[in-house]
Amino acid sequence: MNNNRRPTLYDVATQAGVSPSLVSLFLKDPERISEKRRNAVRDAITELGYRPSRAATTLASSSTKSIGLVIDDYRNPWFVDLLRGMESVLSNLGYQVMLADSRPGENRIKEATDGLLAMHVDALVIAAEPSDAMLAKTWVPTVVAGWRKGVPLGADLITNDDDGGGSMAANHLLGLGHVRIGHVSGSDGASAHRRAGYRRAVEAAGVEPFISESSGTSEEDGYETASRLLERHPDTTAIFAANDSMALGAFAAIKARGLAVPADVSVIGYDNSPLAKSRFLDLTSIDNRSDIVGADSARRLLARIADPTLEPERTLIEPKLALRGTTAPPR
């Protein structure tokens, strides 16, 4: 074989001393082939470094064995666990996840989704705010992961109980003795639910809620919103951030005022992302179980692919408190 070109199925057949149709059968269902021939084909594939053509497989089947995932910001680390959860279910079944980053903006989200659909993905996971055009109808099985402002008609919703998680964060700080608890929040659907849970918990405890909102939920948004909050309420002793990235920005705002975490201001984030788990940050955070959201999203899509008549469902995943070193009783 010419070493300057990619090995083909025919090269594998020649190397193994079998027919091309038998190699094709091996790739689809190896158990239907005798052990001797199966070993010969496997050895040839290994020796030649052969990789099956996904395009050829797609042409021979109505399925591309791919799931599209639309996210709204690569910088938000909670997508890492979401993707890992999806792949824990899909990879062993031969599916791949195709990722598209839409960034905020209705046109960008639609473009990202249209791009995945143009590649004939079998199903979609939307981990971003759907555009108005997407709300009308989905043409492939679709799961919305996480609370959004809208869910497309016919799509499943699988999400963390963000209302409960917001209350959990506030109750943790209240239990430590804090009564001056601020909240830095975003404008997306998940932030709205976390904000509602926080407000409900502090008001039930007879504590005044004070909230600083931003259009985004990045580290920079966290810094700006926390700075405004601390300027308006300098006696704040605890901050609940809508996600871990915003919590990191809150850290910087607290430090800029010559204060320390948690000695002067306790900080709790949300998502329990890899950022929160880092030994350097050691951030107390609400675990939104995004790996479970991802795994359940994958299972639901596989069920919808197998039976397109299934009715859409809404599933809430219970959050957990991940207690670390950034929260303490007030001084």
Side-chain angles (χ1 to χ4, degrees), residues 76-94:
N76 190 334
W78 88 272
F79 294 119
V80 175
D81 286 336
L82 178 76
L83 180 59
R84 185 168 64 232
M86 290 177 60
E87 291 185 332
S88 71
V89 173
L90 297 171
S91 59
N92 289 337
L93 298 174

Side-chain angles (χ1 to χ4, degrees), residues 73 75-76 182-188 191 211-231 236 239-257 265 267-270 275 283:
D73 193 345
R75 297 170 296 179
N76 190 334
H183 178 42
V184 294
S185 183
S187 62
D188 60 310
S191 293
I211 300 168
S212 181
E213 292 186 40
S214 170
S215 60
T217 56
S218 68
E219 178 183 345
E220 184 61 27
D221 295 319
Y223 175 79
E224 292 176 357
T225 52
S227 295
R228 289 198 302 269
L229 187 148
L230 291 169
E231 183 175 345
T236 297
I239 291 177
F240 164 41
N243 66 18
D244 294 339
S245 294
M246 294 192 85
L248 186 58
F251 265 67
I254 292 165
K255 181 179 178 181
R257 298 180 72 87
V265 183
V267 176
I268 181 171
Y270 206 111
L275 184 67
L283 175 65

